[in-house]
Amino acid sequence: MYCQQCGTTIEADANFCGGCGLPASSVEGEAVVRRAALPVPVGGPYTNRAARTGSSFVTFARDALKGPWQASRATGENQLLEGVLTLVAIALLMPLYSYFVAREAAGGFGGFVEVPFGATVLEPFLYMLLFLAVYAGINVGVAKMMHNDVSFKNVLARYGALAIIPGCGLVLANFLQLISLNFVGALVYLVTLVAFLLASVTLVFSIDADRETEGGLDSFYGLLITSVVMMLFFFLVGMSLVDRMVNQMPFLW
């Protein structure tokens, strides 16, 4: 028989579906009676799971675009994957735009200048992932001080919902840079950075809005703590990245 939830083939003596984990008892009734009428799943469980994830992400993004604040309030741990995918995309697209700009500028040197992909994209990408994880962790700590017992997974999912708009902006900025609409792309990128900053700030208020009890740390001080941590991180990491990039591109001097 086949699982009605994901279409994976279930052995007769299995207790759970191997594709989605649904108890076999949940599909024994109607599923067994109708198993001859059910179509054989195409592509296997991994393809079906990828399709479900894609559909879930589209719904997640659509809801976040309609109302980022409402979406962040309604987002829970069950949407962790969608939130993480959004944050990973942002961590990649930010340095990727810088790489395209640097490559465009390097073309002015007659094409003899090579822009290092590792120093321009990969290292900033890893640092950005680290920042997002640290920032989410700081928000969990601030939430505890606000008397809100929110989990790290929940914070990541909320952050991802708020970051959908900056993520779409980064996709557009990279596309505009690729088709040589540099000025428009730069404007979109700057607006996107502001949107991402607002999303990071709004995360604190989204958490505070679900405060379970009165008392605890005021949201103003929560915002102050997270802002200081964010600025320190960007300053230290930014200085390190600039120094490494300059050392790998001696042609600038």
Side-chain angles (χ1 to χ4, degrees):
M1 61 182 175
Y2 302 103
C3 176
Q4 285 187 317
Q5 179 166 289
C6 69
T8 302
T9 302
I10 303 179
E11 300 296 334
D13 58 346
N15 295 322
F16 297 91
C17 169
C20 64
L22 187 73
S25 58
S26 301
V27 300
E28 285 180 355
E30 184 180 358
V32 173
V33 174
R34 299 178 56 200
R35 61 185 173 183
L38 287 174
V40 177
V42 178
Y46 295 106
T47 303
N48 295 331
R49 186 177 302 175
R52 291 198 311 273
T53 300
S55 176
S56 177
F57 183 81
V58 169
T59 302
F60 175 82
R62 182 189 61 204
D63 293 342
L65 286 172
K66 287 181 179 178
W69 171 258
Q70 291 84 352
S72 70
R73 294 286 309 280
T75 298
E77 292 186 10
N78 59 321
Q79 292 174 302
L80 172 65
L81 178 59
E82 291 85 351
V84 169
L85 287 175
T86 304
L87 295 175
V88 170
I90 286 179
L92 177 62
L93 290 171
M94 277 190 178
L96 188 62
Y97 175 82
S98 300
Y99 172 75
F100 289 143
V101 171
R103 194 176 64 174
E104 180 85 12
F109 291 89
F112 296 105
V113 176
E114 181 180 356
V115 179
F117 185 83
T120 312
V121 177
L122 295 183
E123 290 185 21
F125 168 64
L126 295 177
Y127 279 121
M128 191 64 186
L129 286 179
L130 176 61
F131 161 74
L132 294 172
V134 170
Y135 187 73
I138 293 296
N139 274 273
V140 173
V142 167
K144 303 295 183 184
M145 292 186 282
M146 290 179 174
H147 294 176
N148 188 341
D149 191 23
V150 67
S151 68
F152 182 72
K153 293 179 180 180
N154 184 278
V155 170
L156 282 177
R158 287 174 184 252
Y159 202 6
L162 292 169
I164 281 290
I165 290 179
C168 292
L170 286 171
V171 171
L172 179 58
N174 278 275
F175 173 74
L176 291 172
Q177 183 65 33
L178 280 175
I179 62 175
S180 299
L181 292 176
N182 302 342
F183 180 73
V184 180
L187 287 179
V188 172
Y189 186 74
L190 290 175
V191 171
T192 297
L193 291 181
V194 173
F196 180 70
L197 177 61
L198 291 176
S200 301
V201 170
T202 305
L203 178 61
V204 178
F205 294 103
S206 174
I207 295 172
D208 184 51
D210 294 330
R211 189 190 295 248
E212 298 174 352
T213 59
E214 295 295 330
L217 185 71
D218 187 83
S219 57
F220 174 83
Y221 293 109
L223 178 60
L224 181 62
I225 292 172
T226 53
S227 298
V228 169
V229 171
M230 183 168 58
M231 287 187 294
L232 286 175
F233 184 91
F234 271 118
F235 176 76
L236 295 175
V237 173
M239 292 296 293
S240 174
L241 285 176
V242 169
D243 182 64
R244 291 175 65 87
M245 290 175 63
V246 168
N247 289 335
Q248 294 190 35
M249 293 188 291
F251 63 85
L252 292 176
W253 311 105

